[in-house]
Amino acid sequence: MANELKVEILSRETIKPSSPTPHHLSKFKLSLLDQFTREIYVSLLLFYPAKSDHDLLNISKGLKSSLSETLTRFYPYAGRFKDGISIDCNDEGAVFVEAQVNKPMSDVLRQPDFFVLKKFLSGDDDSKEAVRGPLLQVQANFFQCGGLVIGLSMSHKLTDASTLGLFINSWADTTSHSDVTKTFSDFSMSSVLPPMDPASVPHPFEVREGQFTMKRYVFDESKLALLKEKAVSQGVENPTRVECVSGLIWKCAMGASRSRFGDERESMFTQPVNLRKRTVPPLPENSIGNIFTLALADIEDTEIELHGFIMNIRRGIQDTSETAANGYKAGGNGFASLACEMAKEMANMGKRADMDFYMSTSWCRFPFYEADFGWGKPTWVCPSLKPFKNFFILMDSRDGAGVEAWCSLVDEDTALLECNQELLAFAAINPSISY
């Protein structure tokens, strides 16, 4: 088709660290928490509009040079997985792809399409390359108008949202010759929570494959204020943006499912909890790896209002934080027992056909919009993950006051959600991004 957006790969090369990794750092061990994550890539897209002084050749050259320098500080990402618990830091390097897009950026931002956005990434989010090949892949997409999208994919086995934000800002600071000491990284988690025998690690629960629709819902600052007012009027004290949006989406998604299966259907909700500030003593904010545990909340009642969903989510986070802090205090063995128990519980719930199991993750308040490579901050940032059943991911809007929610549901539930008047009173469905 003449009007189809096409992404042409211009070049593909391997970027090695600018300095060899010292011998004493040649083997990197995963932490206990890294072992429990899925073998996928965590991916992010950053959109930068055209500038009058953009020299695409020099931009690409600068990105590759600064990536090489950044890899010396994030040296495991230039290595390859050796076994279930370690990375051979052999400086094989990261993948860097240059691509040309045959459309202006405005065409993509008019109504972002999840499956079009995936074209701006090197490789598949769900590829086994995340543990068998490069831990880091970059694709620089140059648009007809002079705009640029940087697609970044990092192995989830060593990367959570905090790590992703730290890396992208360190790379940006290196490119723009800013102070990189503020993004110094700490790779000591394996000494705090050492890995266990891979044979003893429960398999991460399997996400349910099938035909799902990924939709974007945007809650702007004014509508979030109204949503918070509604929660407060129902007795919730100081509700956060993430609590309100998570509670509302869970409520509406559960309503859609129960309209098809009946009001007695049980509903579970889980979300990651960043442990960096919740342990005693707190872990360094710049700790690299998967430093989170999963909080659980459930609903069995047939009639429940918004405040009930929010309070259940809040209670689940509080309980999980306390349990994780106590497990951390007990040391590696105590935390290992706790992690295994939780993983088995999640796996069992994920298999149940008589219950809806929702997963949500919030990337709000991570500094993705601060990534300035020298030509300004991004005009839009969005995640890219393979759609699977009953999954939500929340992101800050550009102004930091709103929330964008990407929701992956079965087609029938998506159709019902898009007609839900309670949701539509607070959210716009996939509006254009202005820049």
Side-chain angles (χ1 to χ4, degrees), residues 70-295:
T70 305
L71 285 172
T72 63
R73 300 189 297 276
F74 290 79
Y75 60 94
Y77 286 100
R80 297 293 184 270
F81 280 100
K82 184 177 182 181
D83 49 41
I85 59 173
S86 65
I87 296 170
D88 183 5
C89 302
N90 54 14
D91 295 342
E92 281 197 40
V95 169
F96 189 96
V97 174
E98 291 176 312
Q100 182 73 48
V101 185
N102 69 332
K103 297 282 184 177
M105 186 182 290
S106 57
D107 281 16
V108 177
L109 298 181
R110 188 167 295 119
Q111 275 196 312
D113 182 300
F114 180 80
F115 293 99
V116 169
L117 295 173
K118 291 178 72 66
K119 294 182 179 182
F120 305 137
L121 293 168
S122 174
D124 184 2
D125 297 333
D126 206 30
S127 170
K128 293 299 181 183
E129 284 285 292
V131 290
R132 296 174 184 168
L135 278 71
L136 171 64
Q137 299 195 54
V138 174
Q139 184 165 311
N141 304 274
F142 297 98
F143 282 75
Q144 201 177 63
C145 61
L148 168 66
V149 171
I150 295 177
L152 180 69
S153 299
M154 302 178 75
S155 176
H156 195 3
K157 274 294 180 184
L158 189 57
T159 311
D160 62 5
S162 178
T163 301
L164 185 63
L166 188 68
F167 179 87
I168 194 70
N169 277 280
S170 182
W171 181 23
D173 289 345
T174 303
T175 310
S176 62
H177 307 291
S178 298
D179 180 12
V180 297
T181 59
K182 63 183 179 182
T183 51
F184 174 76
S185 51
D186 184 305
F187 285 97
S188 64
M189 273 306 296
S190 61
S191 62
V192 178
L193 291 174
M196 59 191 297
D197 181 356
S200 303
V201 177
H203 290 293
F205 68 91
E206 294 297 324
V207 298
R208 295 178 185 175
E209 303 290 342
Q211 292 296 316
F212 309 119
T213 304
M214 180 73 86
K215 288 288 184 177
R216 171 177 165 260
Y217 303 88
V218 177
F219 300 75
D220 66 25
E221 183 178 12
S222 62
K223 292 297 178 69
L224 276 178
L226 295 175
L227 184 57
K228 285 184 178 183
E229 284 180 15
K230 181 175 182 176
V232 169
S233 72
Q234 295 180 358
V236 181
E237 292 185 11
N238 301 317
T240 68
R241 293 179 304 149
V242 170
E243 286 177 333
C244 289
V245 172
S246 299
L248 179 61
I249 292 175
W250 182 20
K251 181 179 187 294
C252 295
M254 188 187 79
S257 177
R258 286 186 173 183
S259 71
R260 297 190 297 117
F261 294 108
D263 288 341
E264 301 301 321
R265 192 170 178 83
E266 189 178 354
S267 186
M268 298 289 299
F269 183 95
T270 183
Q271 63 179 334
V273 178
N274 188 346
L275 294 177
R276 288 169 176 81
K277 291 183 178 180
R278 298 175 188 270
T279 59
V280 180
L283 295 165
E285 276 295 293
N286 58 352
S287 297
I288 299 297
N290 294 285
I291 309 173
F292 67 86
T293 189
L294 294 173

Side-chain angles (χ1 to χ4, degrees), residues 20-50:
T21 299
H23 180 72
H24 71 280
L25 298 177
S26 61
K27 185 175 181 179
F28 176 82
K29 282 191 175 182
L30 299 179
S31 76
L32 173 70
L33 293 172
D34 292 326
Q35 289 183 284
F36 286 90
T37 57
R38 295 181 62 221
E39 298 174 347
I40 61 174
Y41 283 109
V42 177
S43 300
L44 188 73
L45 295 170
L46 302 103
F47 286 72
Y48 296 91

Side-chain angles (χ1 to χ4, degrees), residues 257-258 265-268 354-358 389-390:
S257 177
R258 286 186 173 183
R265 192 170 178 83
E266 189 178 354
S267 186
M268 298 289 299
D354 63 335
M355 179 184 76
D356 288 319
F357 188 64
Y358 297 96
K389 188 176 181 181
N390 297 342

Side-chain angles (χ1 to χ4, degrees), residues 398-413:
R398 182 172 55 194
D399 61 8
V403 172
E404 297 195 4
W406 292 85
C407 302
S408 175
L409 299 166
V410 295
D411 294 348
E412 298 89 340
D413 287 355

Side-chain angles (χ1 to χ4, degrees), residues 322-362:
E322 183 178 338
T323 301
N326 290 336
Y328 178 81
K329 192 183 298 182
N333 291 334
F335 204 96
S337 298
L338 171 66
C340 287
E341 183 180 327
M342 291 185 67
K344 290 175 182 176
E345 184 180 2
M346 293 281 185
N348 290 334
M349 287 189 293
K351 294 174 183 176
R352 286 179 55 183
D354 63 335
M355 179 184 76
D356 288 319
F357 188 64
Y358 297 96
M359 288 194 65
S360 178
T361 183
S362 172

